[in-house]
Amino acid sequence: TTLMEGVVEVAVSADAGTMCVLLDEGGERVLRAFEAGAKPPDEDEDEGEIDPDRPGDLSGLVDLDGRVVLEVDLRREWAQMFHEAWAATEAKVHPSVLEGVDMAAIREAYSPLLGRVNCLHELLDLLGEMQAELGASHAGAAPAEEEGGDGDGMQGFLGAETEWDAGAGGWRLTRCLRGLPWDERFAPPLARAGAPAAGD
């Protein structure tokens, strides 16, 4: 007996009373739920035709747009973020930073602390401590920007041009952008009050 056509996948509830069916209906994937093992009804109680596009018990159509709830296991998500962030750190850090650094050992040393992480900020703090082990400046972990954010937390720039001075064994500041002198909020970091002057 054919219960329905275009079946892509079927799942049965734990009590075997309900079946959830993923169907291909004219090239569109649709999810419907019916009594397990029974042919879906062709007519309603008044012998009227069932509207297959109207969500509900008769059509079995599940409204995915308005009813799906996503459950997230935060501890598993944080563990995944921990390992992916460390792998990304290893892949993107400058090779000179990795000389003599055992990335796997650092990961193994810090991974037991994952069980103590209770929020995203604690995870970011843990990742920041790991990155500090690299001894590289400007390495850290920050939350992803929310959609429509104002850009706070993006990588900043010194607003300066520099060149390596082998004789002095360091970088020499050759040019410092002035920005808006009347508003320090928009001045480059090296042009703000208290910043070292060019040549210092």
Side-chain angles (χ1 to χ4, degrees):
T1 302
T2 302
L3 299 180
M4 61 188 73
E5 297 179 352
V7 175
V8 176
E9 189 175 343
V10 177
V12 180
S13 62
D15 65 359
T18 305
M19 65 178 178
C20 193
V21 186
L22 181 63
L23 299 161
D24 183 339
E25 297 183 357
E28 182 181 353
R29 295 291 172 99
V30 174
L31 191 63
R32 297 186 186 274
F34 300 104
E35 180 184 347
K39 184 173 176 63
D42 295 322
E43 300 175 336
D44 62 19
E45 293 177 356
D46 300 326
E47 297 184 3
E49 191 174 326
I50 295 173
D51 181 358
D53 296 323
R54 182 176 181 185
D57 294 339
L58 294 175
S59 69
L61 181 63
V62 178
D63 180 7
L64 296 178
D65 293 329
R67 298 182 48 164
V68 171
V69 176
L70 177 65
E71 262 186 51
V72 177
D73 182 333
L74 289 176
R75 294 212 176 273
R76 290 181 64 189
E77 183 177 60
W78 293 334
Q80 179 180 348
M81 291 167 69
F82 173 90
H83 292 290
E84 287 183 5
W86 195 238
T89 298
E90 185 172 11
K92 294 184 178 184
V93 73
H94 193 274
S96 65
V97 173
L98 294 179
E99 291 178 13
V101 174
D102 188 339
M103 296 290 283
I106 294 173
R107 185 188 65 238
E108 293 309 312
Y110 283 86
S111 62
L113 297 175
L114 268 173
R116 300 181 65 118
V117 168
N118 289 306
C119 67
L120 176 60
H121 291 288
E122 289 182 1
L123 173 65
L124 295 175
D125 185 55
L126 179 62
L127 290 168
E129 292 295 324
M130 293 171 69
Q131 290 177 335
E133 296 273 355
L134 302 177
S137 64
H138 296 83
E145 275 190 53
E146 293 184 10
E147 190 174 335
D150 60 6
D152 285 349
M154 293 178 63
Q155 175 68 47
F157 298 93
L158 292 176
E161 293 178 5
T162 60
E163 65 181 25
W164 179 254
D165 185 334
W171 292 95
R172 182 176 302 279
L173 183 63
T174 59
R175 178 173 176 245
C176 182
L177 302 176
R178 301 307 301 164
L180 301 177
W182 59 86
D183 191 339
E184 190 170 299
R185 292 176 303 157
F186 299 105
L190 292 179
R192 292 179 183 163
D200 285 358

